[in-house]
Amino acid sequence: MEAVLFIGVPGSGKSSFFKERLFNSHVRISLDLLRTRHREKRLLDLCLATEQRFVIDNTNPAKQERFAYIEAAKANRFTITGYYFCSKVEECLRRNAARPDDQRVPDVAILSSAKKLELPTFDEGFDQLFYVRLLEGGFTVDGWRDDV
Ligand SMILES: Nc1ncnc2c1ncn2[C@@H]1O[C@H](COP(=O)(O)OP(=O)(O)OP(=O)(O)O)[C@@H](O)[C@H]1O
Ligand SMILES: [Mg+2]
């Protein structure tokens, strides 16, 4: 069974990618949606117990934050797939500025998330790792290379 972890600052395209590529197969676990860590944990535990594929659609910039999900998923014999979303700050700021009012985040959320960002590495426990870019024509997905 597959657990997916997204990594990327606000505006990098995570939720759009979910809608486009994973909506039909994976439950979306998003702190923005669920609001509290308690509710997030309840839904995560349910997916783990029922062998339901899921995506953690949070920014997950720091290794330390990712570790808890990876550890829980491994303990339940899920494989871990990571999608890193290219997080060029000026592009994310521009996309954020173009969002409707009710979906826009404060710019500082992008800046502080970018500051915390640690690129994912296989030694964190990922079985697969991909690099996603959001271009004008849509998403491109490449296998991970440590030199990107
Ligand atoms: N194919 C596309 N081409 C250009 N822009 C796009 C495309 N798909 C989505 N966007 C825009 O990119 C922006 C960011 O997308 P999205 O909401 O998926 O980011 P996110 O990483 O989930 O952000 P957050 O962490 O704040 O939830 C949105 O404003 C969306 O309209
Ligand atoms: Mg989102």
Side-chain angles (χ1 to χ4, degrees):
M1 204 39 62
E2 183 187 45
V4 174
L5 214 59
F6 285 170
I7 301 132
V9 309
S12 59
K14 302 177 300 294
S15 302
S16 304
F17 184 84
F18 172 83
K19 279 186 240 170
E20 197 180 298
R21 307 277 178 110
L22 299 166
F23 178 83
N24 286 323
S25 52
H26 291 65
V27 163
R28 174 170 170 260
I29 301 179
S30 155
L31 202 52
D32 282 347
L33 179 73
L34 298 167
R35 301 275 171 213
T36 70
R37 287 288 181 191
H38 175 70
R39 296 171 79 204
E40 180 195 47
K41 185 169 184 320
R42 292 280 302 268
L43 184 53
L44 174 61
D45 286 346
L46 186 62
C47 287
L48 292 170
T50 57
E51 300 189 4
Q52 167 59 49
R53 283 184 270 185
F54 64 90
V55 176
I56 305 293
D57 181 7
N58 298 335
T59 53
N60 296 317
K63 283 184 196 227
Q64 195 200 331
E65 293 166 70
R66 301 193 287 264
F67 178 71
Y69 298 112
I70 292 172
E71 195 183 38
K74 290 255 184 236
N76 287 274
R77 295 198 296 279
F78 278 59
T79 61
I80 324 285
T81 301
Y83 287 96
Y84 170 77
F85 291 77
C86 178
S87 293
K88 290 210 180 85
V89 168
E90 57 282 14
E91 288 176 15
C92 295
L93 289 170
R94 183 174 47 75
R95 283 196 290 262
N96 184 50
R99 280 170 158 174
D101 284 352
D102 61 333
Q103 289 170 29
R104 196 175 307 132
V105 300
D107 285 353
V108 67
I110 295 172
L111 299 171
S112 71
S113 181
K115 215 183 247 182
K116 279 193 267 176
L117 189 63
E118 297 173 85
L119 290 181
T121 57
F122 279 104
D123 65 15
E124 291 174 57
F126 290 105
D127 298 292
Q128 299 187 90
L129 204 43
F130 296 102
Y131 192 108
V132 184
R133 289 179 184 81
L134 176 49
L135 308 167
E136 288 314 314
F139 291 102
T140 64
V141 182
D142 294 299
W144 186 261
R145 292 182 9 214
D146 280 331
D147 60 347
V148 290

